[in-house]
Every structure is written in C-alpha cells, then in structure tokens.
Amino acid sequence: MNIQTHRLTLRPPRAADADDIYEMRSSEYVLRYNAMRPMNPQETAEMVLRDEGSPRTVYLEHKSERKVIGAIFLEDDDLRYGVTSLCFSYYLNQAYASHGYMTEALSAVIAHCFDALCAEVVSARVFQGNIASMRVLETLGFTREGCLRRCVKGYGGVVYDDTLFSLLREEFVRTPFDAAP
C-alpha cells in the first residue's frame, strides 16, 4: 500500500523509520492505550525490519517533515466468521495528536480496505477511556458495537475494558481525506 493524502504518505515500513517508531513506541502517550510493551532501540529496529514491505503495516509519513508520525496495523477480524472483515489498530506521535492526521490516514486506509481488499466490514477496538481515539472512529462514521469488560491487560498492568467499533462498506462516506488531489 502506498497512498498519498493531502498531508501524508501512507506506506509500508522501511529500516530508516526505526528512530521515529522508537520515539513513539517508548512514549507514555502511546503505551498508555496500546497493549504493547516498551522496546529498546535495537528491538524496535528489528521489529521495523520484520515489517519492512508488509502490506498490513502502514506508516504515516508527514510529507513536509519527511518524518514517520504514526502507524496503522491491519489484521483479520477474529470476532467475525465467514465475512470479509479487517480489524485495525493504530497510534500517533503525541506531537501530532488533535490535528486530524489519524482521521486523514484512516479515511484513506478504510477506502483501500473496501476498494482494493474487498472488505465488507472494518473494525477497531479502543480501550475505554481513550476518548480521542473514539472520536476519530465516530468522526469516520463507525458504530459503537459494545464493550468487552476486563478485556486487556495493558502497559503498567492496567486492565482495560475494550470498546468495539465497526463500519460496514455501505455505511462508508468518502471524505476529502481519502486521497490527495
């Protein structure tokens, strides 16, 4: 996947991205609402190399700054059966939060999932309390399906309820963010 939006290039990982990913993955801001453990710089570089070229890992590169500011991960939706469905997770560098970058990126990735990957539904799971992430999904037209209580033990041993969101292909409303002009 290589998609241009107005402010971002959405692309697979490259080895040179390791420092930007480490900056995000080691921040309290990202760790708080993601079920990930902290990594050292070497572990991060190895992870980026493993994912290099992966069609299911998408890095958000800020066009003017030439810096990776976030990541989106696509997986099969294991809560659905017999339906072409994908579930995604994501994180963003705190310095770029609340500026619409993730909404812009997800809108384009969702369009790709429906158009190129023939998904019938896309979903995301968000830890209860992650209001910013919930707003992104609601802005994009997702429906809150329910809450899995005491679902995930996250960073620092905190146990979170997990809120499930979904968007059906026929509900998807294309936005100006879907692709650059």
Side-chain angles (χ1 to χ4, degrees), residues 97-153:
S98 300
H99 296 286
Y101 288 108
M102 191 54 73
T103 302
E104 181 176 332
L106 285 175
S107 182
V109 169
I110 291 164
H112 176 78
C113 289
F114 288 138
D115 296 344
L117 303 179
C118 301
E120 297 171 61
V121 61
V122 292
S123 66
R125 293 168 55 182
V126 179
F127 290 168
Q128 197 70 18
N130 188 347
I131 303 303
S133 193
M134 289 181 183
R135 278 195 196 125
V136 166
L137 296 173
E138 289 166 349
T139 296
L140 291 168
F142 279 71
T143 297
R144 187 183 305 223
E145 291 190 329
C147 180
L148 302 170
R149 298 181 305 155
R150 287 197 191 163
C151 184
V152 178
K153 184 178 281 190

Side-chain angles (χ1 to χ4, degrees), residues 3-16:
I3 300 171
Q4 300 294 320
T5 68
H6 296 287
R7 300 178 291 173
L8 302 168
T9 298
L10 307 176
R11 60 167 177 78
R14 299 179 192 141

